[in-house]
Amino acid sequence: MQLALHEARTAAAMGEVPIGAVIVWKDKESEEDRVVALAHNTRELQKNALGHAECSAIDMACRTLGGWRLHRATLYVTLEPCPMCAGAIVNARIARVVFGAKDIRAGAFGSVLDLNTYPLNHKPEIVSGVCEEECQSLMTEFFLSLRKKRTEKRSKRDF
């Protein structure tokens, strides 16, 4: 989760919503874990609605591993995945999702809805609340800073 937090901080520094994702692959023979993808939000930079950290990490992991089935993968992400990302997780057959903060506005693994309660062909194991305070703090600080900048900008225009 520390790598995902690092990615989230990178996103924040770029003006993106601070969400980071990491995919770890468990090797079949050695049982060792290796990082196969690191990503963060890029929606603003790329002007693309698909620029979520999870989708980018899934894309990178598929390219790295040479296949779309990520059945031995664990996805670490700082915020609970939205419906789009949860769907991508199910479609990629990711075995396990570990997330930090709940997303009370768009979370699709328990907060707003739970994709695992639907009769889909795959149900990832979900672990929530890992480094929750740190993940939530990053989000809170980012949006407070954004509001402050907007207020300052408005104040300057009023003069």
Side-chain angles (χ1 to χ4, degrees), residues 53-101:
E54 301 95 321
C55 287
S56 297
I58 290 169
D59 181 55
M60 185 182 295
C62 290
R63 290 173 193 273
T64 299
L65 296 167
W68 63 269
R69 289 179 185 88
L70 303 178
H71 57 285
R72 291 197 306 268
T74 298
L75 168 70
Y76 295 88
V77 62
T78 55
L79 186 68
E80 179 182 0
C82 72
M84 176 180 72
C85 295
I89 289 162
V90 169
N91 282 315
R93 311 294 196 273
I94 292 176
R96 187 168 173 243
V97 177
V98 178
F99 69 84

Side-chain angles (χ1 to χ4, degrees), residues 18 136-152:
Q136 185 61 54
S137 175
L138 266 175
M139 296 292 287
T140 302
E141 289 169 20
F142 176 80
F143 285 108
L144 283 173
S145 173
L146 202 59
R147 285 186 205 103
K148 184 179 176 184
K149 287 176 187 174
R150 285 184 188 151
T151 302
E152 289 171 358

Side-chain angles (χ1 to χ4, degrees), residues 13 17-18 22 40 57-58 61 66 86 92 101 104 117 132 138 146 153 155:
V17 175
V22 174
H40 55 268
I58 290 169
I104 60 169
T117 63
E132 184 174 15
L138 266 175
L146 202 59
K153 200 174 190 180
S155 295

Side-chain angles (χ1 to χ4, degrees), residues 36-53:
V36 293
L38 296 162
H40 55 268
N41 271 17
T42 57
R43 287 192 315 173
E44 298 301 326
L45 182 68
Q46 294 181 350
K47 307 294 186 219
N48 187 331
L50 300 176
H52 288 214

